[in-house]
Each structure stands twice: as structure tokens, then as C-alpha cells.
Amino acid sequence: MLGGYKSDYDELLASGKDDHGNAFAFGFGYNHTGGFGTAGATGMLDNYAVTLLTFDGEHKLAQGRLRLQADYAQSAENLFQVLYLMGSHVTTSSVSLRYEQPDVQDPLMARMSYTNFKLTSMSTTPDETHTFEGEVQKQNHLGNRHTLVYGLSWSHTVLHSDISYPGEHYQDVFGAYFQDEWKLPQRWIGYLGFRIDDATLLGTSFSPRISILKNLGNRQTLRFAYGTSYQSPPFVNSYIDTVFPLAPGLTASALGNPKLKSITLDGFELDWRQELSKGYVQINSYYNSISNIIGPIPTAFQPSPPYPPGTPATLSYVNLSDATSYGLEVDSALKLARNLDAHFNYAYNYEHLQNVAIAGAFAPNHMLNMAFDADLGRRWEAFLGAHLVGTTSVNSNGVITSAPAYINMDIRLGYRLREGKEPLTLALVVHNLFADHHIELPPPPTNGLPAQVTPLRTVVYITLSGKF
């Protein structure tokens, strides 16, 4: 308990194996936050409980291994993000079965999985999604220069929702892909591939991809890549049919659009990497052209007066804008001393939306991360990290809001109670060391409704980790 802030986090992981090629891992976690003591029971995203269960089992076969994974998570919280859901419960469960051949020159991989997501609130089910997936992949070598990877995939998604158009909504996606890794003369390596997807709602899409890697000598590499990718519209954007609050006593309708187009991205990348005797330096750059960005636009308005002109009565989802983005990233890891490691990362990103009057954006231009990891001797170890984010702007239907730049610092001080094959470490961890109460996502313009975000607080906890 720190200043009215109550929380607890517990995690347990147990694993084992036998002499017959069987291994397992079982995990349990519980995370509860009772609120920061200022907003009470209606606290915004700071009043929740999460239960986690995981299982991972593996069995070795003559030429491969079979792996079964399952997990379950349930959370309870107050969710105020466009929809205002008091006492919401989110349940996610999944199971997957995978066969792979990691020790075979031309391996075969096959997998299938099922995932269930369910959101309930106040006797309603805003979202329940069932997803079935399957994939088969094969790799083959052709001589010494070509390595082929090819496969087939399939997914089936079903949506049940009390806030969507009546009926059951589903989509099937069938995919096929191919890639050739081609070792060229003079230290050149080429990757040429493509993917074809056929979706019941969207039709057929073709995604080519090419990458060229050059070994420059002196432990330097240069890479150029071009590719196209697609993102299907979320089901909620296609089929939503509900009302949401704009202000006390005033609501608007949100309507989906089953005829939305896929979001498409054409991207270029250019990377350079230098290996050092005690680390590396890497520079990555990119340029993306994005089409068919999805968002809501007003299609009907409240009467004026009494409401201000332009107050929406209905918002409909459309493909409203195209965009471009470009940037670079500098990443480096160095060993400064025998017992001191450092990691540095800086990223610059710029985004431009063509339809800035109604489209929104959330992308800070500058981000910086620095980390130092030290072995202090006599079983003591320490970590210090700094995270800086530049000013962020959001354009929501022409209303500009912003979040100021901020810097976070984290520390960890640990003591190894036991070393060797079964180590045991006790550590004190502090997130947001100097209690910078910044807001990660800017709130919407004041409308008399509860805020959608809560400022970040300082979190202090003790961990005990190791093998038993």
C-alpha cells in the first residue's frame, strides 16, 4: 500500500521433464489493482483484476516434436474507451497443437489453433469472437544456392455481438505463400517471395516481397527490402450498430460498414549493421505508403439549436484517408566494462494523413531508450533504464489535443541468494522512479463524461525469481 494505491501481483511457473522425451510447463498469474484512491469504484483503467493460466507440453518424436499449448485469462475492470462499460469482464482462452522438425534439413511444420475472446458488461455481450486457424509449411533446399519455403494457411472467424447488426457474422481467409532464399555471388543474398489471400468479405489480395542482403566485409551488412501487406477491417468496424454517450443526456449512433476495403501498405526499408568487438551499431530506415485507413465520419447531425453546429448524431465507418510515414532507428549495444553493459535506442517517426480534417493520429516523433545493466560484485546486480517520449498530438474530428513530452526512469537492485545451476534472486524494482504523472494517450475534449485515461504512477514491488 503506497498512498492509497493497492495492488498485488503473483506469478508461479513450474516446469519438468522425463527420460522419454516429454516436457511440460505450467504457469499461474494474478494481477489486481484496487485503484489509486482518488476515483473510487469508477476509477479509469486503474481498477481491475486479471487471472492467468498457461500450459505448455512437448513430446519428442523420431523426426520431430509435438507441442500442445493452452492458456486462459480473465479480467474484470471498468472500461471507458468510446464505449462506457461498467464492471466489464473479458475472457480469452486458446489452445494450439503444433508439429515441427527443428533438426531436419528440409523440415515440415503443421499447426492448428482455436481462440475465443468474450467481452461482457451489464448483461450484454459487446463482443464474442471465435477464431480457428491452420497452417502447413515446408522447406526444401535446391542445391547450394536456393532454399524454398512455401505453405498454405486458413482461418475462420465468427462474431457474436449484442451491439452489431443482427445475425451471425463470419469470414474465411485462405492463403498460400512462397519464398526463395537465393545465395548470389560476391556475398549477395536475395529473398523473393509472395503471398496470396482470398477472403470471403474482401476478395483476393496479392502481396509481393523482395529483400537483398549484402555482406560488405569488415563485419558490416547492408539490407534493402520492399513489400506489400494488407490488414482486414476489424469486425467491429464492419458490423457495429449501437449508441454511445457524447455528453450527459446526449448520445450518438455508431454504424458499421460491411463494404470496407482492406488497409494496404507499400513499404521500403534500408538497414545497415556493424558488428563490433564488444557490441554492435545498427541503423534502420523506412518509408511506408498506407491506403484506405478506416475511421468514423459524421453522417447525420444533432439539431442546432439547442446543440452546437456540427454535433454528430450518427457516425459511420468508412475508408477515410491515405497516409505516408517515414523514419529511422539507431540501435546499439556495447560492453562498456567487464561488468557493465549498455543499450541505446533512438527512433524518429513522421506520419502525414492526407485527410487531416477528420482522421486521427497517435505517433510521437521522437523516442529514446537507454539502459545500463551492471554486476556490482558480491552477488549484487543493478539495472537503470530511461525512456523518453516526445510530444504527441491527436487530431480527432478536427479537434487537436496533445500530450507533453515525458521521461520515465526504472531501477532494479537485485541480490543473488543462490548461484549455480539453481539460482535464486531477490530484487527491488521501481517503475517511474521520479513519479512523472504523464498521460500516455491524450484524453478527448471535455464533454462532462469520465476521463478515458489515468496518469501513470510510481510502482514499487519485490520479486523473487529462480529455479527450485
Side-chain angles (χ1 to χ4, degrees):
M1 180 182 296
L2 297 172
Y5 174 85
K6 304 173 184 178
S7 71
D8 59 90
Y9 176 80
D10 305 285
E11 182 179 17
L12 175 66
L13 177 67
S15 61
K17 63 180 181 178
D18 61 20
D19 297 329
H20 305 287
N22 299 306
F24 76 92
F26 176 79
F28 166 79
Y30 179 75
N31 189 5
H32 171 258
T33 300
F36 293 126
T38 57
T42 61
M44 196 60 50
L45 298 180
D46 63 354
N47 190 315
Y48 62 87
V50 180
T51 303
L52 304 169
L53 294 172
T54 63
F55 173 80
D56 192 343
E58 182 179 287
H59 176 68
K60 288 188 176 181
L61 303 172
Q63 291 189 341
R65 60 188 181 191
L66 198 62
R67 188 172 186 179
L68 176 66
Q69 294 175 290
D71 61 73
Y72 172 86
Q74 185 180 51
S75 66
E77 63 180 290
N78 299 321
L79 181 65
F80 299 154
Q81 293 181 349
V82 181
L83 297 176
Y84 288 73
L85 305 178
M86 294 294 297
S88 64
H89 292 264
V90 178
T91 304
T92 304
S93 58
S94 68
V95 59
S96 67
L97 183 64
R98 181 185 183 98
Y99 171 76
E100 55 189 1
Q101 299 175 320
D103 301 321
V104 176
Q105 182 181 8
D106 294 323
L108 170 70
M109 185 279 294
R111 67 173 181 88
M112 56 183 179
S113 65
Y114 166 73
T115 302
N116 175 59
F117 173 87
K118 187 174 183 178
L119 168 64
T120 60
S121 174
M122 297 177 289
S123 301
T124 65
T125 304
D127 188 354
E128 183 175 7
T129 305
H130 305 270
T131 303
F132 303 84
E133 292 183 307
E135 182 182 9
V136 177
Q137 182 186 101
K138 187 69 172 71
Q139 177 177 306
N140 285 101
H141 287 79
L142 297 180
N144 297 324
R145 293 188 177 274
H146 295 272
T147 302
L148 307 181
V149 178
Y150 51 93
L152 301 172
S153 65
W154 162 80
S155 70
H156 174 73
T157 304
V158 182
L159 169 68
H160 304 272
S161 175
D162 295 336
I163 61 171
S164 68
Y165 297 134
E168 184 179 84
H169 310 291
Y170 71 93
Q171 176 167 252
D172 289 299
V173 180
F174 299 90
Y177 56 89
F178 173 87
Q179 176 182 282
D180 179 16
E181 177 186 336
W182 188 4
K183 294 181 179 179
L184 301 166
Q186 298 182 358
R187 299 179 178 179
W188 289 89
I189 300 178
Y191 298 86
L192 179 64
F194 64 87
R195 180 181 179 95
I196 299 176
D197 290 290
D198 183 73
T200 52
L201 294 180
L202 304 167
T204 302
S205 61
F206 177 73
S207 306
R209 186 172 303 168
I210 184 173
S211 179
I212 300 175
L213 182 69
K214 170 64 172 176
N215 187 337
L216 302 176
N218 295 323
R219 305 177 68 187
Q220 296 184 70
T221 55
L222 185 68
R223 185 184 75 96
F224 169 79
Y226 165 78
T228 299
S229 60
Y230 295 82
Q231 178 183 333
S232 299
F235 265 21
V236 66
N237 296 158
S238 299
Y239 297 112
I240 189 171
D241 182 8
T242 188
V243 296
F244 63 95
L246 288 177
L250 179 62
T251 61
S253 299
L255 298 178
N257 181 0
K259 296 183 179 180
L260 290 170
K261 299 178 182 178
S262 295
I263 302 173
T264 63
L265 183 148
D266 292 289
F268 298 86
E269 299 177 5
L270 181 63
D271 307 331
W272 170 83
R273 182 181 176 99
Q274 171 70 66
E275 297 290 343
L276 305 173
S277 59
K278 297 182 178 180
Y280 69 87
V281 176
Q282 181 168 318
I283 300 177
N284 307 319
S285 61
Y286 62 90
Y287 175 87
N288 296 321
S289 176
I290 308 168
S291 304
N292 302 324
I293 294 175
I294 297 171
I297 62 170
T299 53
F301 298 90
Q302 306 283 355
S304 176
Y307 302 107
T311 303
T314 301
L315 293 173
S316 300
Y317 282 92
V318 299
N319 296 104
L320 53 77
S321 181
D322 297 337
T324 57
S325 69
Y326 56 85
L328 63 86
E329 178 185 20
V330 180
D331 188 71
S332 178
L334 299 170
K335 194 168 191 63
L336 302 180
R338 186 171 63 90
N339 296 326
L340 179 62
D341 296 307
H343 193 173
F344 170 86
N345 179 276
Y346 167 76
Y348 170 81
N349 177 75
Y350 177 80
E351 294 183 358
H352 173 71
L353 292 145
Q354 295 183 8
N355 195 346
V356 297
I358 55 178
F362 178 66
N365 292 128
H366 305 278
M367 290 181 288
L368 175 66
N369 294 284
M370 293 184 294
F372 299 91
D373 204 348
D375 187 338
L376 304 179
R378 297 185 178 181
R379 298 194 175 191
W380 287 95
E381 58 189 35
F383 171 86
L384 174 65
H387 177 62
L388 184 147
V389 176
T391 302
T392 301
S393 296
V394 171
N395 183 357
S396 179
N397 296 323
V399 179
I400 305 297
T401 56
S402 64
Y406 69 88
I407 183 170
N408 269 354
M409 294 194 69
D410 301 333
I411 63 169
R412 177 182 180 273
L413 183 64
Y415 181 77
R416 296 187 293 274
L417 301 173
R418 188 172 62 209
E419 297 182 312
K421 295 183 178 180
E422 296 185 349
L424 186 64
T425 302
L426 180 69
L428 173 70
V429 181
V430 182
H431 287 306
N432 194 13
L433 178 63
F434 297 110
D436 177 25
H437 292 182
H438 70 274
I439 295 178
E440 188 75 26
L441 178 64
T446 303
N447 56 8
L449 296 171
Q452 295 193 24
V453 290
T454 198
L456 188 67
R457 300 301 207 270
T458 298
V459 181
V460 181
Y461 59 94
I462 296 174
T463 68
L464 181 64
S465 60
K467 293 184 177 180
F468 301 90

